[in-house]
Amino acid sequence: MKFPEQPPEEPQRLSALEATKLLDTPPEERFDRVTRLAASLFDVPIALVSLVDRDRQWFKSCYGLGVRETGRDISFCGHAILKSEAFVVSDALADERFSDNPLVTGEPRIRFYAGAPLEDRSGFRIGTLCIIDRTPRTFSDDDQMKLRDLADILERELQFQELGNYYSERTRALNTLNEIVLEIKGDLDTAIPEALERANRFLGTDTAIVSEITGGTYTVLWHHERRNQTLENGLTLPLEQTYCSLLLEHGEVLAINHMGRSRFQTHPCYGAFGLESYLAAPIWIDEALIGTLNFSSQAPRRPPFTETEKMFVNLLARWVADAIHHSRQAATLEKLVANAPGMLYQYRLWPDGHSTFPYTSNGIQHIYNISAEDAARDASPVFSTIHPEDLPVVAESIKRSAKALSRWHQRYRIQWHGNAWHWVEGQANPEKLPDGSILWHGYIVDINERYEAEQMKNQFISTVSHELRTPLTSISGSLGLILGGAAGKVPEKTRGMLAIAKRNADHLKVLIDDLLDIEKLISGNMPLEAREQELEACVVSAIEEIQPYARLRRVSIHLNNLTPGLTAHYDKLRLKQALANLLSNAVKFSPEQGQVTVEIDARGPEARIAVQDSGPGVPASFKPRIFQKFAQADASSSRSKEGTGLGLAITRELMLAMGGEIGFESKEGQGATFWVTLPRSEPPGTGA
């Protein structure tokens, strides 16, 4: 008797057979139908669908035979899978390969055998469709073609089986990933072990580990074991002794089905741990390898790890990476928020009028003496702490910010822990949500000490300014009369000295006027008469008033109105004052024959006026201080550009008082563009 040889690709063939998941499964009509048809077509007593396993042939379908398997060493099918064409034995007793085979000399007393190999989609011959007779017979080419046709029907079923297994496994993998992503909550110490448990169950592995790699050290961060509890979080090992080192050499997903028969069998990790199967993927965060996700078992993997299982582990590793990354970011943010002054918050105004604080830092307890949980349910307790005189102003500023989607900025008093009134300041940027809600992102800080210090300083400046204004007016007037000849002819040398005194007195008067203006703005005593009106006329008027100064310095001013008829909500006098400051600065810093461009445009819910000069630009070191009082890029006594340093500070306060903003863009040596925005409104008669 001749034992059947093994095909050259036997390991892959066995893997393909195991992947069908047909071995040791119940009979199925789709296979039995073919064996009945074969027995009838060829008039034989026995027809089989035989799957050739490692040491046996197992019959998925048996027609006319009472056993489900026989040894591979005595099988006819073991010979049949060695070639792609049908294998035919006309008379087994006359064939030296089978004459003493126990299946020939004993039951089922095979004399005739014909088997057509069954191939999977990859071409591996995993079994046969065979027919058996107890008497010798011939088998024509036509008969072989018919048997092949029936075998093709079975191969189609095998392919359907393979595809069904593939999509079923894919579905299970994706469902498991969805469950992990959507259902698992909590911190990493809760979420990741639960995810590892579900993944272990899906893969059928014993142990799952999320590791961290630091230099040459391997550390177990989280783990799950289905059987022996031998690991602890925090366990460290030399990296070169772990299976993880193999993954680092491989670079991508690594699958080892049988370590003892793999090219890695001499690696130290196999001797140390004896794990036969291993599946792992790297964990990357910001393009840096921080560790691995790995699954292992003491037993070899049968069937081998599939492409779906490799995909599953790779995607799960990405989820773990995201979870770790977000946790680290959240921890960093919590540390920053904990050290931030005041409170950070989100404030939401719903379409029905009620409001909440979806998020607040712990600083809300210090500012409003209210818990973040209570504020998240209802914002009313926050507003109940605001001073009755300031509450309407705060409410109106929120309404205005919501309507124009403009930055909210307000100072107001709150009841400080049940005692005296305390000054706070808040700023926030709004966004409109799809449901019509407005969500602000911002902060509120305690400014009481700063406010009181500013009040003292402003009171001092106001007092000094008022005390200086009357004598300065008298001095300036007297000097003017003298220079005009009221006291007789003045010698030229004396006239020059008096002119210098007159110019300095006038300059000091401008400074005092600016100081009084900014004191009124900060204290809220500056009268404003804001209404909806067109912008172009106000801008043109401001340009006309600055033209004499521009001509003196030989600078031209050009207006570019990109949105004719644009209207906004503002006080005309105060906007002209703000524009005058921007225009005078632009002219002052532009070179002779230079040009200043003024542009009016609509930017969403805001109207924007930009003033662009052709000067040297704003030094980088000065940009953070540019809107501060008395701030000047060149503060030395020898500076070439005169000014009080209050113009931009006044402009900023004017724009904030009108619900607008101010900003600038500049590169040194390329000029500067200063812009202001105002809440935009529709012209009369154009509303819905």
Side-chain angles (χ1 to χ4, degrees):
M1 183 181 76
K2 183 179 180 181
F3 296 110
E5 298 175 0
Q6 287 193 353
E9 70 284 358
E10 178 67 2
Q12 296 89 336
R13 191 195 69 81
L14 289 173
S15 296
L17 172 61
E18 291 167 348
T20 65
K21 299 183 180 180
L22 287 173
L23 288 171
D24 301 309
T25 58
E28 296 181 59
E29 179 61 21
R30 58 186 177 134
F31 295 105
D32 293 343
R33 184 183 300 118
V34 177
T35 53
R36 287 198 306 268
L37 182 60
S40 173
L41 179 63
F42 295 107
D43 191 22
V44 294
I46 300 172
L48 308 169
V49 174
S50 173
L51 301 177
V52 182
D53 198 1
R54 187 183 306 275
D55 300 312
R56 60 172 179 162
Q57 60 175 354
W58 181 82
F59 308 128
K60 174 62 179 174
S61 178
C62 298
Y63 180 86
L65 190 65
V67 296
R68 294 301 301 273
E69 65 179 65
T70 61
R72 180 177 176 177
D73 57 340
I74 60 173
S75 70
F76 283 66
C77 295
H79 294 271
I81 63 169
L82 297 176
K83 296 183 179 181
S84 58
E85 63 269 14
F87 180 72
V88 179
V89 179
S90 298
D91 186 351
L93 280 177
D95 192 317
E96 63 180 8
R97 295 172 296 178
F98 303 105
S99 58
D100 57 348
N101 189 304
L103 298 178
V104 176
T105 58
E107 290 298 331
R109 300 193 178 279
I110 300 174
R111 294 294 297 277
F112 168 80
Y113 173 91
L118 300 176
E119 296 183 355
D120 74 347
R121 288 198 306 161
S122 300
F124 294 113
R125 294 186 285 276
I126 59 175
T128 68
L129 168 64
C130 63
I131 54 175
I132 296 172
D133 202 347
R134 295 186 175 91
T135 59
R137 58 187 292 175
T138 58
F139 205 63
S140 66
D141 290 345
D142 184 59
D143 289 334
Q144 291 188 36
M145 186 177 296
K146 291 175 182 176
L147 184 64
R148 183 67 257 166
D149 287 342
L150 293 175
D152 288 345
I153 294 174
L154 289 172
E155 284 186 352
R156 188 173 179 82
E157 290 297 329
L158 290 175
Q159 291 172 6
F160 285 148
Q161 175 79 22
E162 186 178 354
L163 286 172
N165 291 343
Y166 173 82
Y167 286 114
S168 174
E169 185 181 38
R170 285 259 163 168
T171 300
R172 286 181 55 238
L174 294 176
N175 285 344
T176 303
L177 288 170
N178 280 335
E179 289 172 3
I180 289 172
V181 172
L182 299 177
E183 296 180 9
I184 295 181
K185 308 296 181 185
D187 59 21
L188 295 186
D189 291 334
T190 300
I192 290 184
E194 185 177 345
L196 295 179
E197 179 182 5
R198 297 193 186 197
N200 250 344
R201 196 161 57 241
F202 168 74
L203 294 169
T205 46
D206 296 336
T207 304
I209 296 173
V210 171
S211 72
E212 181 180 38
I213 300 171
T214 308
T217 303
Y218 172 98
T219 304
V220 177
L221 295 182
W222 298 279
H223 74 284
H224 175 262
E225 296 176 276
R226 297 178 70 190
R227 294 179 175 85
N228 300 327
Q229 303 298 314
T230 60
L231 293 175
E232 291 184 0
N233 292 345
L235 174 67
T236 60
L237 298 167
L239 179 61
E240 68 272 9
Q241 294 182 12
T242 67
Y243 286 68
C244 184
S245 61
L246 300 175
L247 172 66
L248 298 187
E249 294 172 9
H250 192 264
E252 298 177 353
V253 175
L254 175 64
I256 302 174
N257 300 307
H258 194 165
M259 187 70 173
R261 296 184 179 180
S262 74
R263 59 190 175 94
F264 305 116
Q265 58 181 298
T266 58
H267 195 278
C269 64
Y270 186 45
F273 302 103
L275 300 173
E276 292 291 357
S277 54
Y278 178 82
L279 178 61
I283 298 175
W284 296 88
I285 295 179
D286 292 335
E287 300 183 357
L289 180 68
I290 66 142
T292 66
L293 168 66
N294 58 80
F295 299 85
S296 58
S297 292
Q298 293 289 339
R301 182 70 176 187
R302 292 189 61 188
F305 290 112
T306 65
E307 292 303 316
T308 295
E309 290 169 330
K310 296 174 187 176
M311 174 205 73
F312 173 86
V313 173
N314 195 29
L315 291 177
L316 184 58
R318 295 183 188 181
W319 176 83
V320 171
D322 285 343
I324 294 174
H325 186 49
H326 291 158
S327 177
R328 290 179 178 179
Q329 284 186 322
T332 300
L333 181 60
E334 285 178 6
K335 292 175 183 177
L336 293 174
V337 168
N339 288 283
M343 61 175 274
L344 303 178
Y345 72 93
Q346 288 180 315
Y347 172 70
R348 185 171 185 176
L349 180 61
W350 298 77
D352 64 3
H354 87 281
S355 59
T356 60
F357 286 88
Y359 167 80
T360 59
S361 63
N362 291 333
I364 192 173
Q365 191 76 46
H366 177 69
I367 297 289
Y368 289 113
N369 200 26
I370 294 169
S371 71
E373 293 76 14
D374 289 341
R377 289 189 291 269
D378 182 14
S380 299
V382 168
F383 288 95
S384 67
T385 67
I386 299 176
H387 194 288
E389 294 178 2
D390 297 342
L391 184 57
V393 178
V394 173
E396 178 60 29
S397 66
I398 293 173
K399 182 179 178 181
R400 188 167 59 246
S401 174
K403 181 179 179 181
L405 291 180
S406 58
R407 184 176 181 82
W408 176 78
H409 178 216
Q410 197 65 43
R411 290 181 173 185
Y412 53 95
R413 290 164 289 178
I414 62 172
Q415 194 167 24
W416 193 249
H417 301 286
N419 300 317
W421 297 105
H422 213 75
W423 282 93
V424 297
E425 181 177 41
Q427 293 192 42
N429 287 314
E431 65 170 311
K432 193 165 188 177
L433 302 183
D435 67 349
S437 298
I438 307 296
L439 183 67
W440 283 265
H441 311 267
Y443 66 88
I444 294 173
V445 292
D446 173 12
I447 63 164
N448 200 64
E449 290 186 9
R450 173 160 59 92
Y451 182 84
E452 290 178 349
E454 285 182 358
Q455 289 297 102
M456 292 174 63
K457 181 178 65 176
N458 292 335
Q459 183 61 42
F460 172 76
I461 291 173
S462 177
T463 301
V464 172
S465 299
H466 279 95
E467 293 298 323
L468 288 175
R469 196 176 208 180
T470 300
L472 267 176
T473 302
S474 176
I475 292 170
S476 178
S478 298
L479 289 171
L481 289 172
I482 294 172
L483 288 169
K489 187 176 179 179
V490 179
E492 281 304 313
K493 189 173 182 180
T494 304
R495 175 179 291 276
M497 296 178 65
L498 291 173
I500 294 172
K502 175 73 164 58
R503 186 166 60 250
N504 287 335
D506 290 342
H507 179 69
L508 192 54
K509 278 179 60 182
V510 172
L511 173 60
I512 291 172
D513 288 341
D514 284 348
L515 285 170
L516 292 174
D517 279 348
I518 203 162
E519 186 271 331
K520 290 177 184 177
L521 283 165
I522 293 173
S523 63
N525 294 325
M526 173 72 79
L528 289 173
E529 296 181 5
R531 61 183 179 86
E532 296 179 6
Q533 50 194 318
E534 194 175 7
L535 274 175
E536 184 173 358
C538 180
V539 176
V540 169
S541 178
I543 293 174
E544 289 175 348
E545 291 183 8
I546 206 70
Q547 283 289 9
Y549 178 56
R551 284 193 290 269
L552 180 66
R553 300 190 68 89
R554 298 179 183 178
V555 174
S556 61
I557 303 176
H558 295 274
L559 173 62
N560 185 17
N561 190 354
L562 301 178
T563 313
L566 182 64
T567 62
H569 192 86
Y570 67 95
D571 181 302
K572 186 175 181 179
L573 178 63
R574 298 309 171 191
L575 180 59
K576 281 178 62 178
Q577 183 180 355
L579 293 176
N581 287 331
L582 298 184
L583 288 166
S584 64
N585 277 349
V587 170
K588 178 168 61 177
F589 288 100
S590 291
E592 284 193 11
Q593 308 303 323
Q595 178 176 299
V596 172
T597 302
V598 182
E599 187 174 276
I600 304 173
D601 194 13
R603 298 288 180 93
E606 296 176 332
R608 185 175 187 266
I609 306 168
V611 178
Q612 181 179 7
D613 65 50
S614 51
V618 180
S621 60
F622 181 56
K623 288 179 179 180
R625 302 182 291 113
I626 196 165
F627 294 115
Q628 295 178 8
K629 289 180 288 186
F630 303 107
Q632 292 180 323
D634 180 5
S636 66
S637 59
S638 60
R639 63 179 183 267
S640 60
K641 306 296 183 182
E642 63 180 21
T644 65
L646 288 171
L648 288 177
I650 291 173
T651 301
R652 176 179 180 273
E653 294 298 332
L654 285 170
M655 298 313 301
L656 291 176
M658 290 187 287
E661 290 185 337
I662 183 172
F664 72 99
E665 297 101 24
S666 176
K667 289 184 178 179
E668 284 194 63
Q670 299 181 28
T673 299
F674 283 81
W675 50 263
V676 294
T677 63
L678 289 163
R680 187 180 168 194
S681 59
E682 296 294 333
T686 64

